[in-house]
């Protein structure tokens, strides 16, 4: 199948610090992929490059056949906002907004009316066990609850690709399971591709493919 996302010879340096060295990677529509690897090996850096948050020092990333480096700033922002979903390693919810307002944000930014956006957000929140918290400000919920709100926000607009950096790091195994079930369900029903960084071997074992990052290089693909 044609890849929805492809990296070719991607290198990234932060000044003299090399974070990625010659990464080749391809993700198919509907594929849920897990990236493992030790701290500092380059996992977040890879996600940033693949998502067009950071431009690689060398090499190319293409999304849906188009090299990201060919897109202007506005086009790239639109792709990130409408076709990608993000769960960042350090949360990044808006604390003054409620749970449902945070989760509905991608739809509101795409111009959807409040009632429809909130209804869609509440459906995803319900599947992640957060229905009761929907009117709570996100400054007043726990770390694991915040992480699940971030997952709801990443999925609510049914993106083509979800980038998730340790999306289950703060969750017990039951809640980690429900996050993974949502990823798999969206992948199977909508063809959403998911790339997630995880330290949890049992989460990784349920992905369709697994890679290990070591010293900025991607190794050990194991497809199921
Ligand atoms: N903004 C930055 N400036 C300089 N060096 C950086 C920067 N961000 C990351 N690095 C370095 O790049 C390398 C890869 O970092 P990265 O954050 O991608 O690792 P990681 O695999 O996500 O680690 P962790 O599991 O701890 O989140 C590390 O050596 C890190 O110190
Ligand atoms: Mg990281």
């Amino acid at each position: 199948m044609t890849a929805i996302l492809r990296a070719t010879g991607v290198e990234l340096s932060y000044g003299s610090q090399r974070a990625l060295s010659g990464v080749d990677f391809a993700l198919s529509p509907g594929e849920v992929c897990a990236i493992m690897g030790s701290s500092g090996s380059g996992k977040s850096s890879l996600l940033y490059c693949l998502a067009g948050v950071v431009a690689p020092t060398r090499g190319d990333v293409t999304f849906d056949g188009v090299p990201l480096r060919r897109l202007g700033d506005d086009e790239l922002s639109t792709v990130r906002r409408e076709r990608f979903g993000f769960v960042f390693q350090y949360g990044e919810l808006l604390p003054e907004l409620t749970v449902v307002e945070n989760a509905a944000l991608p739809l509101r930014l795409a111009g959807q009316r409040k009632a429809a956006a909130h209804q869609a957000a509440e459906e995803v929140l319900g599947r992640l066990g957060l229905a009761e918290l929907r009117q709570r400000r996100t400054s007043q919920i726990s770390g694991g609850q915040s992480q699940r709100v971030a997952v709801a926000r990443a999925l609510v607009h049914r993106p083509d690709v979800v980038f998730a950096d340790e999306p289950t790091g703060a969750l017990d195994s039951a809640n980690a399971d429900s996050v993974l079930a949502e990823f798999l369900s969206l992948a199977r029903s909508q063809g959403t591709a998911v790339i997630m960084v995880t330290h949890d071997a049992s989460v990784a074992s349920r992905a369709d493919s697994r890679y290990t990052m070591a010293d900025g290089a991607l190794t050990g693909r194991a497809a199921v």
Side-chain angles (χ1 to χ4, degrees), residues 43-44 89 165-166:
K43 305 178 300 295
S44 295
Q89 189 169 4
D165 204 343
E166 297 195 41

Side-chain angles (χ1 to χ4, degrees), residues 105-174:
L105 211 52
L107 296 174
R108 297 290 281 151
L109 290 174
Q112 203 171 105
R113 299 177 80 93
K114 185 172 163 182
H118 282 206
Q119 188 181 352
E122 285 182 17
E123 280 169 26
V124 186
L125 289 167
R127 290 200 297 275
L128 292 166
L130 294 165
E132 314 244 294
L133 294 178
R134 62 188 183 280
Q135 297 303 345
R136 192 89 68 85
R137 282 190 206 288
T138 49
S139 52
Q140 293 162 1
I141 61 177
S142 76
Q145 289 164 344
S146 301
Q147 200 161 34
R148 282 178 288 148
V149 176
V151 169
R153 183 183 59 185
L155 302 181
V156 73
H157 54 307
R158 301 188 170 184
D160 294 297
V161 185
V162 173
F163 300 88
D165 204 343
E166 297 195 41
T168 63
L171 302 181
D172 57 52
S173 64

Side-chain angles (χ1 to χ4, degrees), residues 1-204:
M1 195 184 293
T2 313
I4 183 80
L5 195 68
R6 186 182 292 279
T8 325
V10 164
E11 297 184 14
L12 178 69
S13 296
Y14 301 103
S16 62
Q17 169 74 49
R18 169 75 65 89
L20 296 174
S21 47
V23 172
D24 295 316
F25 172 79
L27 189 65
S28 299
E31 178 178 350
V32 177
C33 160
I35 310 267
M36 304 190 79
S38 57
S39 180
S41 60
K43 305 178 300 295
S44 295
S45 299
L46 177 63
L47 253 54
Y48 292 149
C49 281
L50 291 173
V53 173
V54 171
T57 316
R58 297 182 72 163
D60 265 318
V61 175
T62 59
F63 166 65
D64 211 2
V66 179
L68 295 182
R69 66 168 75 247
R70 288 233 199 99
L71 301 178
D73 287 349
D74 288 352
E75 287 172 307
L76 188 56
S77 300
T78 304
V79 165
R80 282 201 304 258
R81 198 173 59 236
E82 297 185 356
R83 304 195 59 190
F84 292 170
F86 296 94
V87 184
F88 293 101
Q89 189 169 4
Y90 301 106
E92 307 197 4
L93 298 174
L94 299 174
E96 289 308 308
L97 298 186
T98 64
V99 164
V100 71
E101 285 166 346
N102 267 282
L105 211 52
L107 296 174
R108 297 290 281 151
L109 290 174
Q112 203 171 105
R113 299 177 80 93
K114 185 172 163 182
H118 282 206
Q119 188 181 352
E122 285 182 17
E123 280 169 26
V124 186
L125 289 167
R127 290 200 297 275
L128 292 166
L130 294 165
E132 314 244 294
L133 294 178
R134 62 188 183 280
Q135 297 303 345
R136 192 89 68 85
R137 282 190 206 288
T138 49
S139 52
Q140 293 162 1
I141 61 177
S142 76
Q145 289 164 344
S146 301
Q147 200 161 34
R148 282 178 288 148
V149 176
V151 169
R153 183 183 59 185
L155 302 181
V156 73
H157 54 307
R158 301 188 170 184
D160 294 297
V161 185
V162 173
F163 300 88
D165 204 343
E166 297 195 41
T168 63
L171 302 181
D172 57 52
S173 64
N175 279 308
D177 274 353
S178 77
V179 166
L180 204 67
E182 272 309 291
F183 286 162
L184 289 166
S185 149
L186 216 58
R188 304 300 178 248
S189 66
Q190 312 280 332
T192 305
V194 178
I195 172 166
M196 64 176 168
V197 170
T198 181
H199 288 293
D200 184 334
S202 84
V203 166

